Amino acid sequence: MSNSTFEQIGKVLREHQHFAILGHVRPDGDALGSQLALALSLEQLGKDVRVWNEDGMLEKYSFLPRAELLTKSPARAHHVDVAIALDTAIQNRLGTALAAVGSAKIWINIDHHLSNPGYGDLVIVDVSAPATGEIIFNLITSQGLPFNHDIAENLYAAISTDTGSFQYPNTSARTFEIAAELVRAGGLDVGKISRQLYENYPRRRLELLRELLRTMRFSAHDRVASFSLSLKTAADLSVLPEDNEGLIDHLRAVRGVIVAVFFEELVDGKVRVSMRSKDEAVDVCAICQKFGGGGHTLAAGARVRGSLAEVEEKVLEEIRDVLKRGS
Ligand code: 5GP
Ligand code: MN
């Protein structure tokens, strides 16, 4: 990625009229905040902008400014001038949002995932950025695109959530400078945003955590910790998919744990595997790629066919092998 890619993208944004801004399935704060921020900037330029993902806006992020712009991808395909995929490591993680774009003259891919192969015509994959929101901030400021309070709040939410509240290792001085600029120039109320992001969970999320902790397992001399969620438990507690975002952090936070894993049984005969590492030498992206997934060195995931018990065994065995080889 170079300055000239930012310039080419800036030019494409100014010179076209109809845009679709897309994000990945099972969206997180980074995908949603980045999509809304870029959409609002383009809206200020007078552009026609659709903002789609497979799941629509999540209840817990519905406080984001102009959240209503983000909708589920429509069943009928639309033709746009420019399709922009944000925070999406591989194109098929766009899910139904991919099919909603009937045709586009130009595809732009802006992301920060190590495993992104660089699909699209104009590509910025900045692995050093802790959040796609940080790249969108760089794009907006370097290209003089419109910026306002609502854009700032969406970008702040994107960066805060993807850095684990400015804690993860790729949080840099630049990240704090950007956050400061968002707070200052956007006139943000950090306390209010943090309450909405981190102190506004539904009670069922804690009830879910209680059930997950009952299934908690440690192995490899307590260096690997995991828990799992069956379809039955999810149904009994009426949990939404978004309720489990971040619960894996309880496992990662345990002293001595290097790899934390969360297994979630899905309706399609697959298991969603979510993985975290605390050691740069233990690359969970590489482990997840063996199972058809991807992500970052320290945070990755995959969807693996099989029963909960089968997938747990296979994946934990692979992690134990990797740790054994490394020690
Ligand atoms: P999470 O565990 O929070 O769902 O995902 C952690 C990271 O891994 C995210 O950056 C996400 O993009 C990536 N990831 C999660 N699941 C998958 C998957 O099934 N395929 C790929 N390629 N990446 C995934
Ligand atoms: Mn992200």
Side-chain angles (χ1 to χ4, degrees):
M1 170 249 341
S2 65
N3 282 337
S4 78
T5 312
F6 276 107
E7 277 161 26
Q8 286 169 35
I9 291 176
K11 191 162 179 291
V12 164
L13 298 183
R14 289 182 197 281
E15 290 180 354
H16 293 81
Q17 187 57 30
H18 301 283
F19 293 85
I21 301 181
L22 316 173
H24 57 80
V25 296
R26 297 284 294 248
D28 55 15
D30 187 28
L32 297 171
S34 296
Q35 282 180 271
L36 287 172
L38 184 57
L40 292 174
S41 188
L42 291 178
E43 194 184 75
Q44 290 285 304
L45 285 178
K47 308 297 182 181
D48 169 44
V49 190
R50 313 298 169 100
V51 196
W52 294 326
N53 72 21
E54 177 164 312
D55 308 82
M57 181 45 75
L58 304 182
E59 179 194 307
K60 69 175 178 182
Y61 289 117
S62 56
F63 74 91
L64 290 172
R66 305 289 311 283
E68 77 283 356
L69 284 182
L70 196 145
T71 62
K72 279 191 188 180
S73 10
R76 193 171 64 82
H78 287 245
H79 303 285
V80 294
D81 299 326
V82 184
I84 308 172
L86 297 184
D87 197 40
T88 305
I90 45 169
Q91 216 174 12
N92 75 8
R93 273 183 55 81
L94 293 169
T96 57
L98 181 57
V101 176
S103 67
K105 289 180 213 154
I106 301 170
W107 270 90
I108 297 177
N109 166 7
I110 300 177
D111 185 30
H112 65 136
H113 291 94
L114 184 67
S115 56
N116 192 311
Y119 60 89
D121 305 306
L122 288 169
V123 180
I124 297 178
V125 178
D126 181 356
V127 175
S128 75
T132 298
E134 190 167 309
I135 312 171
I136 299 298
F137 177 87
N138 291 334
L139 176 67
I140 287 176
T141 49
S142 71
Q143 301 310 306
L145 297 171
F147 179 82
N148 59 30
H149 165 274
D150 288 356
I151 293 169
E153 187 158 325
N154 276 296
L155 289 179
Y156 185 90
I159 296 169
S160 176
T161 53
D162 242 29
T163 55
S165 305
F166 304 93
Q167 291 181 59
Y168 299 154
N170 51 2
T171 305
S172 65
R174 172 82 185 139
T175 312
F176 285 105
E177 282 160 7
I178 291 173
E181 189 57 22
L182 292 172
V183 172
R184 189 185 304 114
L188 302 185
D189 180 342
V190 171
K192 184 169 162 222
I193 301 172
S194 298
R195 274 197 309 281
Q196 285 165 317
L197 284 173
Y198 306 116
E199 298 179 348
N200 196 31
Y201 294 119
R203 173 177 145 182
R204 61 171 189 272
R205 185 175 189 268
L206 211 59
E207 290 167 350
L208 169 61
L209 176 61
R210 177 168 58 192
E211 293 310 312
L212 292 178
L213 291 177
R214 287 190 214 283
T215 73
M216 182 168 64
R217 290 168 62 179
F218 288 87
S219 61
H221 305 286
D222 291 353
R223 290 179 300 171
V224 181
S226 65
F227 51 39
S228 62
L229 174 61
S230 66
L231 283 170
K232 182 180 180 313
T233 301
D236 288 348
L237 295 175
S238 306
V239 293
L240 299 178
E242 66 191 77
D243 291 333
N244 63 47
E245 189 186 348
L247 292 178
I248 192 172
D249 295 343
H250 290 278
L251 297 177
R252 169 171 42 191
V254 176
R255 180 172 3 118
V257 166
I258 296 173
V259 181
V261 201
F262 174 45
F263 298 96
E264 178 189 2
E265 191 179 15
L266 301 175
V267 285
D268 61 0
K270 290 186 180 174
V271 174
R272 171 175 168 260
V273 180
S274 186
M275 224 180 271
R276 301 290 183 266
S277 166
K278 269 161 49 183
D279 181 347
E280 295 279 351
V282 181
D283 178 355
V284 288
C285 180
I287 297 173
C288 287
Q289 280 179 319
K290 286 200 176 149
F291 295 97
H296 312 278
T297 307
L298 301 182
R303 286 167 187 238
V304 185
R305 185 160 296 287
S307 72
L308 203 45
E310 285 163 2
V311 174
E312 277 189 53
E313 267 334 295
K314 254 196 311 200
V315 170
L316 291 176
E317 188 55 39
E318 179 63 32
I319 297 169
R320 284 192 289 264
D321 274 357
V322 169
L323 288 178
K324 236 182 265 161
R325 268 180 261 139
S327 59

